[in-house]
Amino acid sequence: MATPTPGLTTTVEDGVAILTLNRPEVRNAFDDALIAALTAAYETAIADPAAVAILLRANGPVFCSGGDLNWMRRMAAYSREENLADAERLGALMRTIDLSPKPTLVRIHGSAFAGATGLIACNDIAVAVPEAEFAVTEVRIGLIPAVISPYLVRAMGARQARRYFLTAERFSAATALELGLVHEVVPAEALDAAIARHLKALKAASPASLGATKALVAAVDRPLDDAVIADTARRIADQRASADGREGVTAFLEKRKPNWGAA
């Protein structure tokens, strides 16, 4: 039975916890309420003995457009301390997905921008359609992709991350595949079958072995630690509170070009 929460629907079907972003009217943009709901949903799925794996998907034509405009308006008026707490909550969501002992999958049926690319990079298996587009857009509004950066750099490599973080350019699903952000690109009509194929393989494995294997990969890859996570939250809080951060977000919300360097 599906359980609705603000902007999110959760259900467990045939051993899979399915989390569905359900804000199509705002292109599934996330805000503080959705971040909290997602974090709680992942924690519940991780603790649920009926769930072998966790699948993130979305309703509507867009997978996720990044941050919600109303949330960004509130952030523009936040103090540095409020920005820090807000960023730490997003960081906690990313860390929860990344450290899940259960396999995590993401079904990308449409475009994903800004923080949504971080959500994708946190997951173990990412499958997208050819029409999907991606972009890490923070610099265009005077911010930096701080909280999502450890996961994107790990997925794409530092060299490619430099380019796409700095230019904020859009890139295709084919490019995302080459970069390592997604694992597979399939036609829309084959998307559910591809997800089902991965889930079948996961269900054939020992649940304990799956968790142990994820821990093994993290151990040999020298995982992120609390200091890195805290540092990324501090960096985005500083940037949001900076002159360029406030000017960039304000200009974006007012649909005008930013006046960089303005006092």
Side-chain angles (χ1 to χ4, degrees):
M1 181 177 179
T3 302
T5 56
L8 183 70
T9 299
T10 65
T11 186
V12 178
E13 299 178 11
D14 194 23
V16 181
I18 303 173
L19 315 184
T20 305
L21 302 178
N22 194 27
R23 305 184 76 212
E25 70 282 2
V26 291
R27 300 186 299 170
N28 291 314
F30 56 80
D31 57 9
D32 47 358
L34 183 55
I35 288 169
L38 269 173
T39 303
Y42 272 99
E43 290 173 343
T44 297
I46 289 168
D48 187 353
V52 175
I54 307 169
L55 172 65
L56 178 65
R57 52 177 297 158
N59 283 332
V62 175
F63 173 72
C64 178
S65 61
D68 178 85
L69 293 181
N70 289 324
W71 182 46
M72 293 175 68
R73 285 190 179 94
R74 294 199 304 272
M75 286 191 297
Y78 281 179
S79 67
R80 183 189 180 282
E81 290 70 25
E82 290 171 321
N83 267 306
L84 181 59
D86 188 79
E88 287 174 338
R89 285 188 286 270
L90 179 58
L93 168 61
M94 301 281 172
R95 195 80 185 274
T96 298
I97 300 171
D98 185 56
L99 295 182
S100 166
K102 296 181 178 180
T104 59
L105 303 88
V106 57
R107 178 189 184 276
I108 308 150
H109 73 288
S111 299
F113 301 129
T117 61
L119 281 178
I120 292 167
C122 288
N123 276 269
D124 298 319
I125 300 172
V127 184
V129 298
E131 297 78 16
E133 285 189 312
F134 304 83
V136 187
T137 56
E138 280 80 355
V139 296
R140 289 189 178 173
I141 58 172
L143 303 180
I144 57 176
V147 174
I148 63 176
S149 63
Y151 310 99
L152 285 169
V153 170
R154 186 178 61 190
M156 300 164 58
R159 181 67 170 159
Q160 296 291 0
R162 285 188 183 189
R163 169 183 172 174
Y164 291 101
F165 286 12
L166 294 173
T167 64
E169 65 193 278
R170 294 191 181 193
F171 54 95
S172 68
T175 298
L177 180 63
E178 293 175 0
L179 294 173
L181 180 59
V182 302
H183 297 95
E184 191 174 1
V185 176
V186 300
E189 61 271 20
L191 183 55
D192 287 331
I195 293 294
R197 171 167 42 84
H198 289 298
L199 288 170
K200 182 179 179 181
L202 294 169
K203 290 177 186 178
S206 153
S209 292
L210 291 173
T213 298
K214 287 196 63 173
L216 170 66
V217 173
V220 299
D221 193 39
R222 299 197 308 183
L224 307 170
D225 58 21
D226 290 341
V228 172
I229 302 303
D231 180 62
T232 62
R234 285 193 295 269
R235 287 174 186 271
I236 187 58
D238 287 343
Q239 194 68 23
R240 286 177 181 174
S242 72
D244 275 8
R246 293 186 183 279
E247 169 63 14
V249 171
T250 300
F252 176 72
L253 295 172
E254 294 176 353
K255 301 186 186 325
R256 61 173 174 80
K257 289 185 177 180
N259 182 15
W260 301 126

